Amino acid sequence: MSLLELDGVKVHFPVKKGVLFDRTVGHVYAVDGVSLSVEAGQTYGLVGESGCGKTTLGRAILRLVDITEGDVVLDGTNLAELPGEEMRGMRRRLQMVFQDPLGSLDPRQNIESILSEGMAAHGIGADREERRTRIREILAKVGLPTGALSRYPHEFSGGQRQRIGIARALVLEPDVIICDEPVSALDVSIQAQVINLLEELQEQMGLTYVVIAHDLAVVRHISDVIGVMYLGGLVEEGPSDTLYAEPLHPYTKALMSAVPIPDPAVEDTRERILLTGDLPSPSKPPTGCRFHTRCPWKQDTLCATERPELKDAGNGHKVACHYAAEIAAGTVRQTVPGAVRPPEAETAPAEVPAPAKPADDGRTADPGGRAGRAAEPGKTAEPGGTAGTGGTGGKSAESAESAETAQGGGTAGTGTTPEAGGTPEAGDAVQADEAADADEATDAGEAPKTGEAPKTGEAAETVEAAEAAESAVTKD
Amino acid sequence: MTQPLLSVDELTVTFTGRGRRDVQAVSGVSFSVDQGQVVGLVGESGCGKSVTSLALMGLLPDRGVRVGGRAEYDGTDLFGLSPSRRRALRGSQLAMIFQDPLSSLNPVVPIGVQVTEILARHRGMKGEAARKEAASLLDRVGIPDPRRRLKEYPHQLSGGMRQRALIAMAVACAPRLLIADEPTTALDVTIQAQILELLKELVDQEGTALLMITHDLGVVAGLCDEVNVLYAGKVVESAGRRDLFAAPTHPYTHGLLNSIPRLDAPRGEPLHPIRGSINDNIAWADGCAFAPRCDFYTLECLAGTPGLSEPRAAGHQVRCVNPVLPGSAGATGGTTGGTAGLEKTEATS
């Protein structure tokens, strides 16, 4: 039994019109049937773009918005049915950390008052002195000086304010903390501090987190299980490693290929899936699969008519797509030309046919399966087929430049340490074992894909590459 | 190309206020942009990157701001121009894309009017001709059904659409230099990818020079040819993007790259944040502004402003006396005690 379970949760907001009599003219389907479960001591990450309903879902768990339908079960108690007073009591066990650290702290209350208010409401600590001792402990845990107690929110920096927000949640000793975009308002160097703090606290206090964020890299870093939301529903869910190594849903693939990676070598050679258009309005969601209006792999049957269920695809990896298996196997072809852009070959010297390496750096769940698939003739020429490994494209340009061992390190380095990724140009020493690993990886990767390599190398222009891909698709 | 399109030399911007201490937001920034080149200015909030762009565009208010240094655009000194000459240049040859598309568009004026306004001002186009041109501009930046969109107001467009409209306005007069200030920060990743692709196309096809201002190192990695990293109003590291990311040499750049979780890195590796916050710095005049947060800090760091040097490769400039060189990456300066004392000498607010 999981600590927190959601079953078919729907949150619909009525759209009203009229001055005297509010007529309901429609609904915004913010959350439309989400089921998930969060294990104790784990972190569940919810990702999606703005408007996908992830924040509403987070608020629905705490019943800060009314749940239209469905159950939220915390430790055996169904929160959706609790009367107001009892729900207030339950909120001690469910706390939230908000996105905007300044907006969520009362500017006229000092820190002690902010932190003790919740304790007083829930009857924690007999008197002021006891509460103060407890607050001091928590402040030390989140890395704030005790002197902070008598100060006001505006006197703190963004990162410190977020620490106060976290402390406010912690003083109530909750079981589950829902973090809604905990770091998106912070600068990069401060983000890392807060992420590390959340991780330390989880380790020390055995907390369970539901982390809601749009930054996939952040979510991947801290989550054990990730759910990807699109227009009110989960489209894919799985353990963080498998989900990122091998995304199954076209939306997840596109989302991941769109995340910029701070490494030019990776950026130049990765494959991109560009989605056309914007998110449809959640008040008029598309029929069938919500994503079919933007999906590069949309098929004529099923997609527009039937809403896919979240089905297990093995290893706890669930996906809501009618054709996920076919797309992964490469038997279904792209229907939107040009949506999947093969790696650009601008910097690749045309004369060197560099072997493009399938992204396999050891974290793939079944490397054999992938390498095998990549080896299928005709499939390698189709950029869509090898899709989905947005972060880990083959590095033809790089490997072409040098054949040193260090280069091998660079090639596999997409997934290893930043230093390894950066070494080829600096030419400095790569750890011997790393280099060895890299070599193995390269060997494993090269063999099946050599046929494809010249194509990528020669196509100097993206357009040409796309055309080549198109013709290959047609032949296929 | 003998002469760069834009060269900025020791730009300083100081905000003054009666009864208040002067705040130097930009304290000596130099860089140059060539025709068809994408140059990045990267830094966290408060490092002076946006103020730099506003100063170059001449969009800072006249009162309460002192701008120093030189900025030369195509041989003319930008800061020496008369306001009217400056206006003629701005919008036609120099154009800017702002971060927040909603607040930089006029909410009560249809998109069409806002686009044709520029065409009328700089290209003397009127009536149907201007409308036709505006429609083709919107079409070019990928807005479907441009004729209908011209009649719509900014609130009727989605975030990505608005940013496209803003780009359409910026490229209306085929500018030679485009300044993009965090053009994708307010957008979702999939929309960000679309916009970045569009900017890339513009640079490739038109040979427009692009000055890209962003806090996102990932965006820089994919787009920029040259990267300048700013800290507390000064360029601390400047290099070609491959050099920069392969071998970040300034401790700040190094720290930044170590503190972002990467989508393609193995999971479970702890992040290494830069300690302290951007407020923990000292004035450049007293030494390195980054010293209080730096892991490689030594007493030499306090001996005046460090100059730019090229410890690693030609063209890879670093403003640091203890640069991160290969082999020294793991060695952290054991001067934590000294740092604690240093924090008391903070000179800036």
Side-chain angles (χ1 to χ4, degrees):
Chain A
M1 176 84 192
S2 314
L3 181 62
L4 180 68
E5 271 188 43
L6 273 65
D7 185 25
V9 173
K10 292 186 180 178
V11 181
H12 297 170
F13 297 110
V15 180
K16 306 231 174 177
K17 224 176 195 173
V19 186
L20 273 182
F21 305 99
D22 280 352
R23 280 181 304 124
T24 303
V25 292
H27 283 93
V28 173
Y29 302 93
V31 177
D32 206 19
V34 171
S35 306
L36 55 87
S37 55
V38 185
E39 304 294 331
Q42 284 205 330
T43 303
Y44 190 99
L46 268 178
V47 277
E49 297 181 281
S50 49
C52 73
K54 55 190 193 300
T55 297
T56 307
L57 182 62
R59 298 175 76 99
I61 296 175
L62 274 153
R63 271 185 58 197
L64 297 176
V65 293
D66 285 329
I67 299 171
T68 313
E69 210 184 299
D71 299 330
V72 177
V73 182
L74 174 73
D75 217 0
T77 320
N78 188 353
L79 303 181
E81 288 164 0
L82 282 186
E85 195 51 47
E86 284 175 45
M87 183 62 218
R88 265 194 285 284
M90 285 302 279
R91 290 216 182 93
R92 187 194 65 75
R93 303 183 55 189
L94 271 172
Q95 280 291 306
M96 189 147 180
V97 174
F98 296 91
Q99 170 171 13
D100 177 3
L102 187 58
S104 58
L105 300 172
D106 185 342
R108 294 198 255 182
Q109 276 183 299
N110 66 21
I111 304 310
E112 180 174 7
S113 154
I114 288 173
L115 295 182
S116 59
E117 198 175 21
M119 297 175 83
H122 289 287
I124 300 172
D127 54 19
R128 213 181 136 138
E129 219 25 70
E130 208 176 311
R131 278 183 211 133
R132 191 173 274 176
T133 326
R134 170 95 189 118
I135 288 173
R136 286 218 176 96
E137 277 169 31
I138 298 289
L139 278 186
K141 273 204 175 114
V142 300
L144 286 172
T146 324
L149 280 181
S150 57
R151 287 158 72 189
Y152 289 83
H154 74 267
E155 297 175 61
F156 295 91
S157 67
Q160 287 175 317
R161 281 180 203 139
Q162 199 55 289
R163 287 170 195 266
I164 297 168
I166 294 169
R168 176 173 59 184
L170 285 180
V171 287
L172 300 180
E173 297 168 23
D175 297 322
V176 181
I177 297 185
I178 295 168
C179 306
D180 186 4
E181 302 274 9
V183 296
S184 62
L186 307 174
D187 266 321
V188 207
S189 64
I190 311 298
Q191 278 191 5
Q193 296 175 359
V194 173
I195 293 171
N196 281 356
L197 172 69
L198 285 172
E199 286 187 325
E200 279 162 28
L201 290 171
Q202 181 168 43
E203 219 163 87
Q204 288 170 16
M205 307 170 75
L207 294 166
T208 307
Y209 292 134
V210 175
V211 176
I212 300 164
H214 68 278
D215 188 328
L216 282 95
V218 167
V219 169
R220 167 166 176 263
H221 185 85
I222 52 179
S223 307
D224 300 299
V225 182
I226 293 176
V228 183
M229 278 185 85
Y230 184 78
L231 222 55
L234 277 178
V235 293
E236 187 163 359
E237 185 190 351
S240 160
D241 290 322
T242 23
L243 187 111
Y244 276 83
E246 202 171 2
L248 293 174
H249 197 280
Y251 177 64
T252 319
K253 293 180 185 203
L255 202 58
M256 278 196 230
S257 81
V259 176
I261 288 177
D263 185 345
V266 179
E267 276 291 310
D268 286 352
T269 50
R270 68 204 282 226
E271 174 187 84
R272 277 174 205 287
I273 305 174
L274 280 189
L275 294 180
T276 48
D278 295 305
L279 197 72
S281 161
S283 60
K284 287 185 222 98
T287 54
C289 172
R290 297 275 151 102
F291 186 57
H292 85 262
T293 51
R294 298 169 80 194
C295 182
W297 282 274
K298 181 196 168 242
Q299 300 298 309
D300 294 334
T301 49
L302 284 176
C303 286
T305 50
E306 204 172 305
R307 193 171 173 192
E309 302 254 322
L310 201 61
K311 278 180 297 221
D312 204 320
N315 297 336
H317 193 158
K318 296 180 198 162
V319 62
C321 176
H322 296 299
Y323 295 97
E326 287 86 344
I327 293 171
T331 51
V332 165
R333 60 188 163 89
Q334 262 182 79
T335 47
V336 180
V340 180
R341 308 210 172 181
E344 281 178 44
E346 37 159 334
T347 44
E351 74 275 10
V352 196
K357 192 188 76 65
D360 172 14
D361 43 51
R363 62 189 166 77
T364 318
D366 62 336
R370 269 203 354 181
R373 260 186 263 122
E376 282 169 37
K379 164 102 192 344
T380 35
E382 180 198 334
T386 46
T389 56
T392 45
K395 300 179 56 168
S396 50
E398 279 298 290
S399 45
E401 277 166 23
S402 133
E404 290 167 26
T405 330
Q407 189 56 53
T411 319
T414 47
T416 54
T417 61
E419 287 98 66
T423 33
E425 257 129 18
D428 50 340
V430 176
Q431 297 281 315
D433 52 358
E434 257 177 48
D437 285 349
D439 278 347
E440 276 166 36
T442 320
D443 289 342
E446 264 169 33
K449 289 205 76 179
T450 29
E452 185 224 4
K455 199 158 261 159
T456 337
E458 278 159 28
E461 303 264 61
T462 332
V463 190
E464 276 175 41
E467 274 167 18
E470 269 306 294
S471 58
V473 169
T474 342
K475 262 180 256 159
D476 190 21
Chain B
M1 190 61 54
T2 48
Q3 192 190 5
L5 183 66
L6 174 79
S7 68
V8 179
D9 189 27
E10 285 299 309
L11 174 75
T12 60
V13 181
T14 316
F15 292 93
T16 56
R18 212 181 311 164
R20 260 181 284 164
R21 220 162 12 137
D22 289 0
V23 177
Q24 192 164 54
V26 179
S27 36
V29 166
S30 311
F31 62 91
S32 65
V33 186
D34 286 334
Q35 190 76 44
Q37 199 185 25
V38 186
V39 173
L41 284 185
V42 205
E44 297 181 284
S45 47
C47 73
K49 55 192 194 299
S50 289
V51 174
T52 304
S53 68
L54 292 176
L56 291 177
M57 287 296 284
L59 293 174
L60 289 169
D62 293 333
R63 298 180 59 174
V65 181
R66 260 201 325 268
V67 178
R70 265 181 83 77
E72 235 171 58
Y73 167 78
D74 203 16
T76 46
D77 178 15
L78 280 178
F79 299 146
L81 286 179
S82 69
S84 65
R85 295 255 334 261
R86 197 105 202 248
R87 269 199 299 278
L89 209 59
R90 182 166 61 215
S92 62
Q93 298 213 30
L94 294 170
M96 184 151 176
I97 304 165
F98 296 91
Q99 170 171 5
D100 181 359
L102 187 56
S103 57
S104 21
L105 289 166
N106 189 337
V108 294
V109 174
I111 298 292
V113 177
Q114 302 191 43
V115 180
T116 47
E117 204 176 3
I118 302 160
L119 296 172
R121 172 73 178 77
H122 292 290
R123 286 167 65 181
M125 294 173 96
K126 272 195 212 130
E128 184 53 31
R131 272 196 295 279
K132 212 171 155 191
E133 177 66 20
S136 78
L137 279 168
L138 291 194
D139 190 44
R140 185 150 152 247
V141 297
I143 296 182
D145 200 359
R147 279 278 167 178
R148 185 168 62 88
R149 293 292 179 189
L150 282 178
K151 297 194 194 83
E152 292 191 344
Y153 291 87
H155 75 267
Q156 290 170 294
L157 271 60
S158 66
M161 263 333 166
R162 281 181 214 131
Q163 196 58 279
R164 282 170 193 270
L166 215 59
I167 294 175
M169 289 162 65
V171 299
C173 301
R176 292 174 65 195
L177 175 68
L178 198 57
I179 300 178
D181 185 2
E182 303 263 15
T184 57
T185 308
L187 308 174
D188 279 318
V189 275
T190 56
I191 310 293
Q192 165 171 296
Q194 295 171 2
I195 298 289
L196 291 178
E197 201 67 25
L198 174 65
L199 288 173
K200 249 185 228 167
E201 266 172 42
L202 284 173
V203 172
D204 287 348
Q205 291 169 10
E206 313 285 324
T208 314
L210 177 64
L211 179 61
M212 181 81 184
I213 291 162
T214 180
H215 70 279
D216 192 331
L217 286 162
V219 169
V220 170
L223 190 68
C224 300
D225 302 315
E226 292 282 327
V227 188
N228 297 287
V229 182
L230 261 72
Y231 187 80
K234 254 192 196 309
V235 175
V236 293
E237 183 160 7
S238 154
R241 63 171 180 148
R242 279 172 181 274
D243 275 347
L244 186 86
F245 286 94
T249 305
H250 195 280
Y252 176 61
T253 322
H254 193 251
L256 270 188
L257 282 170
N258 273 338
S259 63
I260 17 184
R262 277 177 58 159
L263 204 53
D264 59 341
R267 240 188 108 238
E269 260 193 30
L271 300 177
H272 305 284
I274 304 174
R275 70 187 135 157
S277 75
I278 195 124
N279 295 327
D280 304 331
N281 54 17
I282 55 174
W284 278 108
D286 300 335
C288 174
F290 186 62
R293 300 176 72 190
C294 186
D295 283 340
F296 302 86
Y297 156 72
T298 59
L299 278 177
E300 293 156 46
C301 296
L302 296 183
T305 318
L308 282 172
S309 58
E310 298 187 347
R312 196 187 277 274
H316 188 155
Q317 295 189 311
V318 182
R319 190 183 295 283
C320 183
V321 289
N322 296 314
V324 189
L325 291 170
S328 70
T332 52
T335 47
T336 357
T339 324
L342 190 73
E343 267 160 13
K344 293 196 183 73
T345 63
E346 271 176 42
T348 49
S349 52

